[in-house]
Amino acid sequence: ANPENIDTLVFCSGKVYYEILEEKERAETGENMAVVRLEQFYPIPQKQLDSIVKRYNKAKHYIWMQEEPQNMGGWTFMAMNYHTVKLECISPKASASPASGSSKTSEARQAANMSRLFKYAKQPVK
């Protein structure tokens, strides 16, 4: 992504990375969003994350996105350990179980998360 055009930096891990990229392509929008996939949480890759934030220095929105409920997945670790920027979490609300028990409910939750994320998207940069 061209750092000059990025105002939203999205951090994530796992397959949601590919789902975000697919949605950007399907919707033909989101050229203002850079998506960063974390492969390692511990020890936190502080230097690498800071380097990415510095590279995209025009970013105004920093988001952690996950498909797990907010009290699970990588969000709690990132919220406790990464303080260079203020991260906003986009995920299903906290839950006692990581799965809804219904594929339709799971798909609806993921669609709602994508909708929340893509409110930050702008039309393609020409």
Side-chain angles (χ1 to χ4, degrees):
N2 181 349
E4 291 297 313
N5 299 330
I6 302 303
D7 67 5
T8 303
L9 198 50
V10 183
F11 297 96
C12 61
S13 68
K15 70 176 187 145
V16 73
Y17 171 80
Y18 299 104
E19 293 171 356
I20 294 168
L21 295 182
E22 286 175 9
E23 183 63 17
K24 282 177 72 171
E25 187 175 314
R26 186 199 66 72
E28 296 181 354
T29 191
E31 296 297 318
N32 63 305
M33 299 174 5
V35 185
V36 178
R37 182 177 178 194
L38 271 72
E39 296 289 333
Q40 169 185 316
F41 283 91
Y42 189 87
I44 192 162
Q46 185 76 42
K47 289 180 184 176
Q48 293 90 339
L49 290 172
D50 288 349
S51 174
I52 291 166
V53 167
K54 185 177 179 181
R55 179 174 181 215
Y56 295 104
N57 61 352
K58 295 192 185 300
K60 295 177 178 75
H61 309 284
Y62 302 93
I63 297 166
W64 175 264
M65 182 157 173
Q66 65 183 30
E67 60 187 340
E68 298 87 3
Q70 194 168 23
N71 58 322
M72 300 176 193
W75 166 244
T76 53
F77 182 82
M78 292 300 290
M80 290 187 319
N81 293 284
Y82 190 63
H83 304 290
T84 300
V85 296
K86 182 173 173 42
L87 290 172
E88 172 191 345
C89 181
I90 294 180
S91 71
K93 65 182 182 178
S95 173
S97 172
S100 66
S102 162
S103 61
K104 288 186 180 192
T105 300
S106 180
E107 288 172 12
R109 287 180 180 170
Q110 189 63 358
N113 285 339
M114 285 293 174
S115 178
R116 283 181 56 201
L117 176 63
F118 278 83
K119 286 182 181 176
Y120 292 96
K122 294 180 181 171
Q123 294 303 314
V125 176
K126 301 291 180 195

